[in-house]
Amino acid sequence: MTEQEPETRLDQRYSDPDARATPWADAESLLASAELFWISTVRPDGRPHVTPLPAVWAHGALHFCTGPEERKARNLPHNPHVTLTTGTNIWDKGYDLVVEGEAVRVTDDTRLRELAAAWEAKYGDFWRFEVRDGYFHHGPGHAVVYAVAPRTVFGFGKGQPFSQTRWRF
């Protein structure tokens, strides 16, 4: 993954007059610290699928894992475009982020070991994975890992001032 500075723009149509664009470094910090994300994928028949999951921000991308037979994993070969969202369920406080990109499978064991360490550091012992043969292994099961480098990210500041920032890569 290449880490690049995005084009940052405040959308004045959806922002208070005194709002300012949120710096990308602030959005990255929120992505790194968020514990829960919602991923949206598309089924082969075109219907949407949304589910919550933990994710790790590393190397300029969000990373998630899933069992190879789970619906989201079965959707990705047909359409790798995904949206990951995180934030709060309060309309006038906090900050919401929407990350759009393409899910790319991570199979390199060295990189997977680094990501496994990041999962455990962020989420604790429950998320301790062994790595071998291009998979995360946990108990009797295994999981595939995907990286989503953002193409576009939207940030929604809630409360005073309300704001909408867009970052394009």
Side-chain angles (χ1 to χ4, degrees), residues 22-34 36-38 57 62 83-88 94-100 152-158 165-167:
T22 301
W24 175 242
D26 293 354
E28 271 191 304
S29 179
L30 290 169
L31 290 171
S33 65
L36 185 67
F37 292 81
W38 291 85
W57 177 259
L62 276 172
T83 301
L84 289 140
T85 62
T86 192
T88 63
Y95 203 85
D96 295 337
L97 289 162
V98 177
V99 176
E100 297 176 347
T152 305
V153 178
F154 294 96
F156 300 91
K158 301 182 300 182
T165 302
R166 181 185 68 206
W167 300 273

Side-chain angles (χ1 to χ4, degrees), residues 74-115:
R74 294 189 346 244
N75 291 344
L76 293 173
H78 301 280
N79 185 343
H81 299 281
V82 300
T83 301
L84 289 140
T85 62
T86 192
T88 63
N89 289 327
I90 301 169
W91 79 271
D92 67 346
K93 292 181 190 153
Y95 203 85
D96 295 337
L97 289 162
V98 177
V99 176
E100 297 176 347
E102 201 169 296
V104 176
R105 176 117 187 260
V106 178
T107 58
D108 176 72
D109 280 358
T110 300
R111 186 157 164 226
L112 287 172
R113 277 191 276 283
E114 181 183 322
L115 291 169

Side-chain angles (χ1 to χ4, degrees), residues 17-66:
D18 57 343
R20 301 286 174 256
T22 301
W24 175 242
D26 293 354
E28 271 191 304
S29 179
L30 290 169
L31 290 171
S33 65
E35 292 186 12
L36 185 67
F37 292 81
W38 291 85
I39 187 168
S40 301
T41 61
V42 179
R43 291 178 170 98
D45 67 6
R47 291 180 300 133
H49 176 260
V50 179
T51 190
L53 50 66
V56 170
W57 177 259
H59 304 289
L62 276 172
H63 296 80
F64 68 91
C65 62
T66 184

Side-chain angles (χ1 to χ4, degrees), residues 142-159:
H142 66 283
V144 290
V145 178
Y146 291 91
V148 180
R151 293 220 173 132
T152 305
V153 178
F154 294 96
F156 300 91
K158 301 182 300 182

